[in-house]
Amino acid sequence: NEKYGICIPQRFGYFVLAQEAPPLQEMIEEEYTLLRVEHDYSVQGIDFDQEMILNTNWNDVASLTKGCYLGQEVVARVSNLGKPPKKMIRVLLDEKKEKIVVDGKDAAVTSVCYSPKHQKWIGFCLVANDNTLDDWEMF
């Protein structure tokens, strides 16, 4: 709503520049989790912790064209000469699960919530980048 100030679209929602705050309603944690998982927005400390940024779904965080930032050489080397060892995906599940088995290994599923939109359980899963994941529905 532009009547409160300037709204700048972001990857997730808007950044609002305003002299007075618009009336806001507090969102319960379950609604927030559903909103961010359906929009592919993982959170450090919940969905990943000590992962290289290229392993996550934060594709717009590390620039592949801009130089001169801390870690730029590592990001360029991995993206140009290889691929990240892991990748974060969203999975659709028929039932609520905290982990799934991928290529014989347990993989944790984080931020699991029920999606009325998909009529299934959804969550994030960090898996090896060479997996085919034939058994799991990704979106």
Side-chain angles (χ1 to χ4, degrees):
N1 187 334
E2 295 284 337
K3 78 177 189 177
Y4 290 101
I6 300 170
C7 296
I8 303 167
Q10 300 292 304
R11 176 176 171 222
F12 185 62
Y14 293 89
F15 180 76
V16 179
L17 299 172
Q19 292 201 343
E20 96 179 50
L24 300 174
Q25 294 179 349
E26 190 170 326
M27 183 180 288
I28 63 173
E29 190 171 339
E30 290 81 14
E31 289 175 332
Y32 175 66
T33 301
L34 177 62
L35 182 68
R36 67 181 185 77
V37 175
E38 283 190 338
H39 289 89
D40 200 21
Y41 189 81
S42 60
V43 173
Q44 183 177 8
I46 297 174
D47 302 307
F48 63 93
D49 195 17
Q50 297 184 3
E51 293 297 325
M52 181 174 72
I53 198 71
L54 292 175
N55 289 346
T56 70
N57 58 350
W58 289 22
N59 301 326
D60 56 351
V61 174
S63 173
L64 300 178
T65 57
K66 178 189 174 291
C68 301
Y69 60 88
L70 188 61
Q72 181 237 344
E73 292 85 5
V74 175
V75 169
R77 200 172 318 129
V78 169
S79 63
N80 293 327
L81 300 176
K83 63 181 179 179
K86 297 179 184 176
K87 64 181 172 183
M88 180 162 294
I89 59 168
R90 288 180 302 163
V91 291
L92 291 171
L93 306 165
D94 292 326
E95 59 188 47
K96 185 176 183 177
K97 294 183 179 185
E98 304 266 328
K99 60 180 152 180
I100 59 175
V101 178
V102 179
D103 288 343
K105 296 179 184 171
D106 286 345
V109 182
T110 58
S111 298
V112 181
C113 55
Y114 185 77
S115 170
K117 175 181 173 182
H118 298 286
Q119 307 242 324
K120 290 189 176 193
W121 292 88
I122 59 175
F124 291 111
C125 190
L126 197 59
V127 298
N129 205 359
D130 57 358
N131 287 319
T132 57
L133 295 166
D134 291 332
D135 296 338
W136 301 104
E137 194 174 347
M138 298 180 304
F139 67 108

